[in-house]
Each structure stands twice: as C-alpha cells, then as structure tokens.
Amino acid sequence: MWSLIQDGDISSWQKRAYEGGANIFQLPSWLEAFKEIGYLKPIYLKYDDGQKLGYCGLLEAKMAFVKIGLVSNGPVAINDFDPAEITASLVQYLKDNNYTAIRFSGEHTATLLQNLSADLVHEESFPFYKDIRNHFIVYKQETPEDVKSGFSSTAKRLINKITKDENYKLIIDDKGEHLKEVYELFMRVSERKHFAYRPMNSYKALFNYNDTEHAYASLFLCYHLEKLVNAIVIIRDKNNSIYMSGGLDIALIDNNTSPSFYLHYQAMLNEFYTRYTSRYNLVYTPGKFGEFKTRFHPEKIEGPKPVTVVLNKWKYNLYSNTMLRFAPKIKRIAKNLLNR
C-alpha cells in the first residue's frame, strides 16, 4: 500500500508528519535541502490502506549498479498501528522497486526492524553520509532562569555580561531574510578554519516550508556595534530543536566578550517558550568546540548504530568489496574537492 507522494502534495505531508511527531530527519523541510548538495535524492512515500496511514522520507543514493535508501528515524505511523508492521511493508516496497539495501538509523531502529526476516548487516553501509548519533541535550525547564541555573558558572557569567552590554544586539529570523549575511560570516569562518560549509542554497531550502503557523528552521544572529559577529542555524520538529551550523567571527569581536553562550541561551529560550520544543540538541563534537558545549551541562546520549537491510545479496556484496572497501579514500578526495 506504499506509493510515491507527488510533488504537489509534499507540503501537506510536511505538516501531517510534523503533527504526527515525526523526527526532523524525516521531514521534507530537512530532506529537500539535499537537492542542492547533489548526490542524494529525497524520496517521499505514503502508506494508505483505507484505515492505516503512514509516511516515510528517505534519501536515495545511486552509485553504478547499486541503489541504497537511507531512512533516519522512520518510517512514521501517522495513526495508531504497529510501527514494525509498517516497516516490514516498506522494506518489501523498496525491494520491489530494486533497492539494493536500506540503511535504518535512529533511536527506535531495533523496534522497527524486530519482525524482519531479511538479512541485517550491523555495519556502516553508507559512510559517505552519517546521521547524528551523539547528542548533547539541554532540556526545557519551568522558567528561563531554571534553564540557565543548570549551566556552568562560566556560561552563566558570560551570558549575564552580554545581556547587559548594549553594544550587542540579537535578531531571530524565521524567514531566512538574513541568510546571505549569515553565509558571508560562515565563509569568513571557513577560510580561517579551513573547513567547508554546505552550499548556501541548501540552507535556503531549509526555510521553504516555514509559514505563519510553523517554522521548521530559524537563524539567530548576534551583532556587535552593528556588525554580525555570531550566527547559528536551528532546525526543529515538534519536540526537538537541533543546532545545525554556526559561526563566530573573532576578528570582529576584538578583545570583547564572545557572545556564543548568550546566543545559544537565547536560542534555547525561543525554542522552549515560543516554539514549545522540549529538547535543545547541541550535538556532541570532540575538541575545543565540544568543550564549549559541555559548559551548558547537557546530557550526552549515544544513539544506536545504523542497521542495513540487504535486499539484493550479490549486488550488496559487490558494493561492499569495492566502494565500501575504498570509502576512506573516496571521502578524502571528496573532502579535498569541497575545501577547494
């Protein structure tokens, strides 16, 4: 009972899946941006047998003789029925449509796949794009002060200092009107740190489904003396707000206090008390930036490893012995090309 969702119906399914509690990585507001990156194609499917209703957003990767589907935190049962049942029917649909394998990821993966009799591979079957597995979660509290009280003394002190500094100004942009300015900031940071951001149009696509009722992405900008010095991109579903990208231009701050703690704190307040999500995910990262994030005292949650359902054994084995075998080298080449 699975079928493709036509382009004209994607917007209505965005809202339907959102209201049904779908994770952000299932929503078109996230997946559509991959059209601007190039090598992954978003596919939207619906399940409807007259009584049961389901949805799945996936990314399709085609490479020579293989076609792999990447399903993160899905599929979604829109009305009340067994999610393992809908997953089994999705697997059969994708097999009938010549997929070589499907990589499932997310916290409920084991439950979704429990009734499958297909071959399961507990390895990274598509290392060219990895989902977020390590989360840094700050939870909504009763009041903004309660949220801040859970931070380190350093974070609280710097937030209070920036709050009182009239030279700093905050802007929250739910329409993406300041995206060009934000992306210019990102490019300055990219040049200094020697790493690549996503294409600008892929950020622009995040705002395509925003309307007066819902905003699935927002920009948070901090200006010092009228110059943009710090900006972050937040994406959200009904329950979760996720820090996606950010940049801080230390050259424009000079010897002044960095507004980074303040900007994330203001973003948390907007997410918890205006957008009514309950979790702000800073996303775990190692190194110096990871140390910065620990000052918010987030809970670290490590998600399960992805599981691959093999639908065509000989094609998958051939793929495993060729492209997967040389994946590290392929990724290095791709990264060098992006950085250029």
Side-chain angles (χ1 to χ4, degrees):
M1 297 296 180
W2 285 95
S3 61
L4 282 171
I5 297 174
Q6 301 303 311
D7 289 349
D9 295 329
I10 291 175
S11 181
S12 64
W13 278 93
Q14 161 81 19
K15 294 181 180 179
R16 186 177 290 173
Y18 171 88
E19 293 296 345
N23 184 275
I24 182 64
F25 300 118
Q26 275 291 294
L27 298 178
S29 57
W30 167 255
L31 295 171
E32 281 290 285
F34 285 87
K35 289 181 178 179
E36 305 297 335
I37 298 174
Y39 69 99
L40 295 174
K41 178 183 178 182
I43 302 290
Y44 307 105
L45 302 169
K46 61 181 178 180
Y47 180 95
D48 188 354
D49 66 359
Q51 293 181 319
K52 301 171 183 176
L53 195 64
Y55 161 86
C56 184
L58 62 88
L59 293 171
E60 177 185 283
K62 282 186 177 180
M63 299 169 293
F65 51 87
V66 301
K67 183 165 68 169
I68 294 177
L70 310 177
V71 180
S72 177
N73 293 276
V76 180
I78 301 296
N79 53 12
D80 190 22
F81 68 101
D82 184 2
E85 176 186 343
I86 192 177
T87 303
S89 63
L90 173 66
V91 168
Q92 185 60 53
Y93 173 86
L94 295 175
K95 183 176 182 179
D96 293 341
N97 282 270
N98 301 315
Y99 280 78
T100 306
I102 317 163
R103 188 190 76 181
F104 287 92
S105 57
E107 58 181 320
H108 302 301
T109 297
T111 300
L112 292 173
L113 301 180
Q114 63 185 354
N115 293 340
L116 287 183
S117 58
D119 290 332
L120 304 182
V121 178
H122 295 268
E123 66 177 24
E124 178 50 78
S125 59
F126 196 79
F128 311 103
Y129 172 69
K130 293 186 178 182
D131 292 321
I132 297 171
R133 282 188 55 221
N134 295 311
H135 311 278
F136 260 179
I137 307 294
V138 176
Y139 295 94
K140 181 180 180 179
Q141 305 297 328
E142 187 172 346
T143 69
E145 282 301 313
D146 291 334
V147 174
K148 187 168 63 175
S149 69
F151 301 162
S152 71
S153 58
T154 298
K156 288 185 284 190
R157 176 174 58 81
L158 294 178
I159 289 168
N160 292 337
K161 185 174 183 180
I162 294 295
T163 302
K164 297 174 184 177
D165 192 334
E166 295 181 355
N167 291 320
Y168 284 93
K169 180 178 71 173
L170 171 74
I171 289 179
I172 301 174
D173 176 9
D174 295 328
K175 297 181 179 179
E177 294 175 336
H178 294 78
L179 181 58
K180 184 177 183 294
E181 188 180 9
V182 169
Y183 201 74
E184 289 171 353
L185 168 65
F186 286 177
M187 290 301 96
R188 296 197 298 271
V189 174
S190 175
E191 184 176 355
R192 177 171 57 86
K193 292 189 174 183
H194 305 290
F195 69 83
Y197 284 86
R198 297 161 58 120
M200 179 175 170
N201 281 343
S202 74
Y203 286 101
K204 187 177 180 180
L206 297 172
F207 294 85
N208 286 345
Y209 290 89
N210 285 12
D211 55 32
T212 55
E213 185 180 4
H214 296 300
Y216 308 101
S218 297
L219 299 173
F220 295 81
L221 304 87
C222 190
Y223 293 82
H224 179 257
L225 298 176
E226 305 304 320
K227 294 181 180 179
L228 180 62
V229 296
N230 198 185
I232 59 178
V233 182
I234 299 296
I235 56 175
R236 66 179 69 85
D237 56 38
K238 195 173 184 178
N239 303 302
N240 304 280
S241 299
I242 300 178
Y243 166 68
M244 179 187 166
S245 295
L248 171 68
D249 191 334
I250 58 174
L252 292 179
I253 293 176
D254 296 324
N255 295 319
N256 294 287
T257 303
S258 166
S260 294
F261 287 111
Y262 167 81
L263 190 56
H264 274 286
Y265 175 58
Q266 292 299 324
M268 290 177 194
L269 300 191
N270 181 76
E271 299 308 295
F272 293 154
Y273 306 108
T274 299
R275 295 298 171 188
Y276 304 110
T277 59
S278 57
R279 308 199 309 173
Y280 185 94
N281 190 350
L282 286 154
V283 183
Y284 172 79
T285 47
K288 188 174 182 179
F289 193 36
E291 292 177 12
F292 159 79
K293 293 177 181 180
T294 63
R295 301 294 181 90
F296 294 100
H297 292 165
E299 179 184 8
K300 184 179 179 182
I301 299 175
E302 183 174 349
K305 293 180 179 179
V307 177
T308 297
V309 180
V310 177
L311 304 178
N312 187 311
K313 286 185 181 180
W314 77 266
K315 281 188 178 182
Y316 184 82
N317 289 337
L318 186 57
Y319 163 73
S320 182
N321 290 323
T322 53
M323 297 198 74
L324 277 187
R325 182 180 177 185
F326 297 105
K329 186 175 182 179
I330 295 171
K331 288 176 69 178
R332 283 197 300 271
I333 294 172
K335 185 176 181 180
N336 289 336
L337 289 173
L338 281 172
N339 286 332
R340 289 176 186 174

